[in-house]
Amino acid sequence: MIRLALGTLRQHRGAYAGTFFAALLAVALLAGGGLLLASVLTAKPPADRFAAATLVVSGDRAVTLEKVTTKEKKDKVKVKRKVKSERLTGAGSLPADLAGRLGDLPGVATAVADVAFPVQAGTSDGRPLRGADNAPVIGHGWASAPLTPYVLRTGEAPGPGQVVVDADLANRSGATVGGRLVVTTKTGVRSMTVSGIAAPVGRDGLPAQGALFVADAEVASVSGLPGPTAVAVLATPGTDPVALRAAVEKAAGKAPVLTGADRVRADLPGALPDYIGPISMFGFVIGITAFSAVFVLTGTVTLGVRQRLRELALLRASGATPGQLRRLLGVESVLLAGFAALPGAPLGVLFAHLVAARFRDLGAVPAQFVVRTNVIVLIAAAVAGMLVTFVGARIAGRRAVRIAPTQALAETANAPTGGLVVRAVLAVVTAAGAVALLIFVPLDGPLGMGMSFVSSALLLCTVAALGPLLIRVLTTPVSRLVGLGGATGWLAGLVTRAEPRRVAAVAVPLVLMFAINATMLLNSALIDDLTAQEQVDRTASATAQVTAQGGLPLGTVEKLAALDGVTGAAATLPTRAIVEQGGKPEDFATQGLLVAGDESALDLDLRAGTLPGTGAFAASEYITDQYGWRLGDDVPIWLADGQQVHLRLAGVYARARGFGDLALPADLVAAHDPRGLVSTVGLRYHGDVPDQIAASWPELRLTPTLGAAPARDAQNQQGAWELMVVISLGFTAIAVVNTFAIATAARRREFAGLRLVGATTGQLHRLVGREALITVSAGLALGILVTAIVVGAFSTAQDGTPRVFVDAGTYAAMLGGVAALGLVAGVVPARVLLGRRSLPALGDGR
């Protein structure tokens, strides 16, 4: 059977070229997407700041909740426990006396308290201090320098009003011993002297973070933290590590004790690259590529098998059984996909590196992210490609190998029918799934974009299942309209109506190309537009916005609000907070909010209640609906450092896009967020307020409120979406061209027959052009329908307004681009085929 399959592949290499190419691209995309996801899931922190420590006691780094359920069954009680965790964006503090207690334990040489806190620093002439790849700067007490270890290269240890910076920061900023730095933390702005330059042994600095050390006596006043964020233990030589850990765990209570590679988890979360966002992003990439690859590859294989009905009929006539033909098709498909996987896997590695590089440029993934070649992922992609090809071939050949030889020979002219029940059931199931998602899943929440893609995919499966029927319905009016143009158009209409399965096989990739990509582009553009508009509406009441590089301490904001002439002020302090539902913690974008004055400088479009105040918070309509909160409810909330507080729900607001779903008192957020800096202050004023600000705070920027620019995170997300669309567009465009080429190559016998009865080359060109026009029109009609359903539902969920076009320019570009590609892909292969010197009346299809 293998020899026969190899012989068939050699004999029909031209006919199989399209399927081979589709399988190659499918394996490459699956391999590339799999490598990206696997690399981000297994990404390790680039450096361990506690490398010199034996073990480290860490403050809270996650909120962990346990849900216990009991179920009685007869005489037994079954207890089920589920533990869910959510990572904190800050670091919980440990008791101030913990280092002293641990230092007294047997086997401990020394215990060093580390207070880690984010720092905004710059030279006196305004140059910011940033690490390699724009890494953050983290402040510490000088006593923790030996934990890496950092050693002085020049200068001396810091004293009051002094700092030591790492060599990498000094090289980048030009800072020298004796120079001045402006250091900003949540406790204020300080001008400090560089007393020394230090570096880890053997290098200038740590990747992904810069280090700035202050005097130990000033750590509390500079950081604003009540205690250390970690305590590192250095053991005396010969100490039993197991006994030491047990003693430390007993003394540390519930605080985690980390050893080996886990020590890095004790570092400040802001000092470590964040891969939470990239995980979901690359998961979406693999979802898009996997669906497109499977969808396109299955259609291509099905088209290829259907073109061999005459050959299969002859094999049946010569004595082959249906089982033998099924095995032949299966072996052929596996061999073909296996051959395609050989170049496809290396191409997938290249694809993954190119995509990762572009995401790094966009800032959507950490600069330290690297793609790691994983043999298991490459093998899995190859196996998946072979499996999809195999299943597609078996499904496509199911009817062909069961019918009698004479019927099969007859059905080479008349496409086989049947399987309508299975297709109808599949269509009903997928359509029902899409409708359920669009109706019952809250598309205005974080799952909205993902669910819109899933809904599009399900509707595309519905279109594929009902393809011949839908194409027959659509091609009838279109073909009759085209037929008004003369005999060629009339003949093109007859051909397309007579071959709905072939037309459907070519049109469905067009539906995929338009619907998937238009949906993602339009929904993303809608979110971007709504976010920008809400940001404008929120800040419209302010006269101007005050910002500073890196942020402002809350104390500075209070002084700004107290200036003569200021009638209203609203300061926002970004953070993350965690709430719980059903035993599952979930974090949300949050703002600390400080409002002062008689006039409003921020309009959140309150729907009920008031803005947050002491002991109270406000929440968006989305989160209040999701969690079932009502005004006056007492809600437990975990802040950035893991501290749990109970706040009363005082207000519900509507303008949450680009702001956050929770608004908490600014002083509460500043006290528990390690960064704790205000991002923007909206002011309403009259008189010489700008002159007062320029005189007292020359480093601040005062800009009129004309609509704030989108946040960098929003820009990164938009760029990431656009890149994913480019990936999807590229693959689906190639699939469209490939499918048209396969379908055209299979019509050599038909074109030869038309030439024999007197048709000219020009007439055949016009015939093919009219057919392509009918096919593209039908495909775009279905694509427009799918897009309208999903985009309309998504738009309605956002603000109650149903939209279809959203962005007319994007819609027109997609429509025109897909139509042009379809027409070119339908005409060019035929011109190449008809341009040959002769077309045989009887051919073998090679």
Side-chain angles (χ1 to χ4, degrees), residues 437-459:
L437 288 177
L438 294 175
I439 293 177
F440 298 112
V441 174
L443 299 178
D444 57 335
L447 297 177
M449 286 294 289
M451 290 301 101
S452 66
F453 165 73
V454 175
S455 300
S456 297
L458 290 172
L459 289 175

Side-chain angles (χ1 to χ4, degrees), residues 399-413:
R399 173 164 169 75
V401 300
R402 287 181 178 178
I403 58 179
T406 54
Q407 291 176 320
L409 286 171
E411 292 197 20
T412 55

Side-chain angles (χ1 to χ4, degrees), residues 338-401:
F339 291 142
L342 296 178
L347 188 61
V349 177
L350 177 62
F351 166 77
H353 281 282
L354 292 175
V355 172
R358 182 55 183 154
F359 273 126
R360 283 194 295 267
D361 292 341
L362 291 170
V365 299
Q368 298 78 26
F369 174 69
V370 294
V371 177
R372 294 177 175 84
T373 302
N374 189 316
V375 176
I376 295 177
V377 170
L378 297 179
I379 293 175
V383 171
M386 289 188 287
L387 181 61
V388 172
T389 309
F390 174 79
V391 172
R394 291 297 293 264
I395 293 175
R398 178 178 55 86
R399 173 164 169 75
V401 300

Side-chain angles (χ1 to χ4, degrees), residues 177-531:
V177 174
R180 305 289 292 180
L181 293 179
V182 178
V183 177
T184 303
T185 65
K186 64 182 180 181
T187 61
V189 180
R190 298 170 176 81
S191 179
M192 308 184 79
T193 303
V194 178
S195 67
I197 295 175
V201 176
R203 47 188 169 177
D204 288 343
L206 293 179
Q209 59 176 290
L212 181 148
F213 298 93
V214 301
D216 295 312
E218 293 188 328
V219 168
S221 61
V222 175
S223 69
L225 296 176
T229 54
V231 175
V233 173
L234 284 72
T236 57
T239 300
D240 180 8
V242 176
L244 176 62
R245 177 165 185 165
V248 171
E249 286 178 340
K250 183 177 180 181
K254 296 182 179 180
V257 177
L258 309 173
T259 59
D262 288 338
R263 292 172 302 183
V264 71
R265 290 163 41 203
D267 210 344
L268 191 69
L272 302 175
D274 183 9
Y275 289 104
I276 301 299
I279 288 175
S280 60
M281 188 185 305
F282 289 142
F284 204 83
V285 169
I286 190 65
I288 292 175
T289 56
F291 174 76
S292 299
V294 170
F295 199 87
V296 169
L297 185 54
T298 302
T300 304
V301 172
T302 301
L303 183 61
V305 171
R306 281 184 39 75
Q307 292 170 357
R308 296 177 57 198
L309 286 176
R310 181 179 296 275
E311 176 189 336
L312 295 175
L314 292 173
L315 289 173
R316 287 282 285 120
S318 62
T321 65
Q324 289 174 327
L325 293 184
R326 283 194 294 268
R327 287 195 298 274
L328 175 63
L329 291 174
V331 172
E332 286 177 357
S333 64
V334 170
L335 290 175
L336 186 67
F339 291 142
L342 296 178
L347 188 61
V349 177
L350 177 62
F351 166 77
H353 281 282
L354 292 175
V355 172
R358 182 55 183 154
F359 273 126
R360 283 194 295 267
D361 292 341
L362 291 170
V365 299
Q368 298 78 26
F369 174 69
V370 294
V371 177
R372 294 177 175 84
T373 302
N374 189 316
V375 176
I376 295 177
V377 170
L378 297 179
I379 293 175
V383 171
M386 289 188 287
L387 181 61
V388 172
T389 309
F390 174 79
V391 172
R394 291 297 293 264
I395 293 175
R398 178 178 55 86
R399 173 164 169 75
V401 300
R402 287 181 178 178
I403 58 179
T406 54
Q407 291 176 320
L409 286 171
E411 292 197 20
T412 55
N414 300 293
T417 58
L420 292 180
V421 174
V422 175
R423 286 176 175 271
V425 170
L426 180 60
V428 169
V429 171
T430 53
V435 172
L437 288 177
L438 294 175
I439 293 177
F440 298 112
V441 174
L443 299 178
D444 57 335
L447 297 177
M449 286 294 289
M451 290 301 101
S452 66
F453 165 73
V454 175
S455 300
S456 297
L458 290 172
L459 289 175
L460 284 169
C461 291
T462 303
V463 170
L466 298 179
L469 178 61
L470 295 174
I471 290 297
R472 188 187 298 275
V473 172
L474 290 171
T475 54
T476 298
V478 176
S479 63
R480 294 190 185 281
L481 182 64
V482 172
L484 298 177
T488 304
W490 173 79
L491 180 58
L494 287 180
V495 172
T496 52
R497 291 196 299 273
E499 288 284 351
R501 287 179 180 263
R502 177 176 60 80
V503 176
V506 178
V508 166
L510 286 170
V511 183
L512 170 69
M513 183 179 182
F514 183 84
I516 286 291
N517 298 297
T519 298
M520 287 196 297
L521 278 176
L522 295 175
N523 285 351
S524 179
L526 175 61
I527 290 296
D528 194 46
D529 291 344
L530 292 176
T531 300

